[in-house]
Amino acid sequence: MIDFIDVSKRFGSQDVLRHASFRVNAGERIGIVGPNGAGKTTVFSLILGEITPDDGKIDLPKSLRIGHLRQEFNPHDVKASILEYAESGRQDLSDIHLELEKLENDLKKGGNNDSMATLAQIGRLQTIYEASGGYQIRSRAQAALSGLGIDEEKFLRPFNSFSGGWQMRAELARVIVSDPDLLLLDEPTNYLDIPAIEWLQEYLKRFNGTMMLISHDRYLLNTLSGVTLEVANFKT
């Protein structure tokens, strides 16, 4: 559950939100509408903790895993392939994978005197990794990239060799693969063609978590959201 309680936010002398309150229940699908500049993206930034409210408070579970697609992002100098980038959405699983590789290398080199303890640790991490879907990450990334229109023969191409629109598709795939509890999507169809939009709609229909969707596409909102949140005139 997410609670906005009497939240106000200003940027300089410009009010964006004034005493806005709303609640998002677990499993709800919220469509967010409103004129450009009304504060829709600000709502996402507040949920993510990228900015803080000037007044009021926001309550959300501390353990909540959030996947966020923003309209613009800065991938910096990503050296990974586009497939590796799409797989990188679950940092917790990436960390476990690296730890497993380290422990297995230690065993091979004989650098760890307590091999039984190392084997036990490997077994424990493998159990967590499997239960969290770690062994399905690659296949899910491949399916997401394909569904969003990236050909399989391009999966091993460097991420930074693709144009911005294709990088955005890979970013969307990365968010999808992260399988979050809360999915925040800001105009997700901007860079997509019709087949990719249709694939995304089918994926989102099956998504089991909570979703908040900013879009000007009324058909998309009507198809995917059950509740509409309007952000306008500093209110929600």
Side-chain angles (χ1 to χ4, degrees):
M1 182 190 302
I2 301 167
D3 269 327
F4 263 57
I5 305 170
D6 206 29
V7 170
S8 297
K9 183 61 188 177
R10 295 176 293 276
F11 293 104
S13 61
Q14 179 65 47
D15 285 336
V16 179
L17 296 174
R18 292 180 190 160
H19 308 293
S21 297
F22 64 87
R23 171 176 290 179
V24 178
N25 295 308
E28 279 190 320
R29 296 164 175 265
I30 310 294
I32 303 178
V33 300
N36 289 335
K40 300 186 297 296
T41 299
T42 298
V43 168
F44 279 7
S45 295
L46 287 163
I47 291 172
L48 291 162
E50 295 173 342
I51 57 176
T52 56
D54 295 310
D55 298 296
K57 68 174 183 174
I58 301 165
D59 287 338
L60 67 162
K62 291 183 179 178
S63 60
L64 192 70
R65 288 194 300 106
I66 303 175
H68 177 213
L69 179 76
R70 61 192 80 224
Q71 289 190 55
E72 297 179 2
F73 77 110
N74 183 6
H76 303 293
D77 187 18
V78 176
K79 303 243 181 343
S81 70
I82 201 164
L83 175 59
E84 290 169 333
Y85 184 79
E87 292 175 320
S88 69
R90 286 289 300 270
Q91 187 59 50
D92 57 333
L93 294 180
S94 296
D95 291 344
I96 292 173
H97 183 71
L98 289 173
E99 181 64 16
L100 282 169
E101 286 185 338
K102 178 182 178 299
L103 292 170
E104 289 165 357
N105 286 333
D106 285 347
L107 279 179
K108 289 176 185 177
K109 294 175 182 177
N112 192 322
N113 294 327
D114 193 351
S115 59
M116 293 302 292
T118 301
L119 285 169
Q121 176 71 347
I122 288 173
R124 186 181 70 82
L125 290 174
Q126 285 176 334
T127 298
I128 296 171
Y129 192 73
E130 181 176 10
S132 301
Y135 293 111
Q136 286 78 50
I137 286 287
R138 172 143 296 192
S139 62
R140 294 183 64 222
Q142 290 170 333
L145 290 172
S146 295
L148 293 170
I150 298 174
D151 296 331
E152 185 175 350
E153 60 266 24
K154 297 178 181 177
F155 284 176
L156 299 183
R157 272 182 51 185
F159 175 85
N160 56 18
S161 71
F162 288 83
S163 67
W166 291 104
Q167 288 182 351
M168 283 299 298
R169 294 191 191 211
E171 173 69 2
L172 178 54
R174 189 186 71 82
V175 172
I176 286 170
V177 170
S178 72
D179 193 27
D181 304 312
L182 171 64
L183 187 55
L184 305 179
L185 298 176
D186 193 346
E187 299 288 357
T189 59
N190 272 359
Y191 295 91
L192 303 183
D193 54 19
I194 291 175
I197 291 172
E198 291 175 345
W199 181 89
L200 179 63
Q201 286 176 334
E202 290 305 311
Y203 168 79
L204 292 176
K205 285 177 184 177
R206 300 190 303 271
F207 177 65
N208 290 322
T210 306
M211 183 179 71
M212 300 181 72
L213 169 65
I214 297 172
S215 180
H216 289 93
D217 186 334
R218 289 290 178 176
Y219 176 77
L220 188 73
L221 290 168
N222 291 338
T223 301
L224 296 175
S225 62
V227 178
T228 299
L229 176 69
E230 183 176 16
V231 182
N233 299 318
F234 317 111
K235 299 284 189 178
T236 58

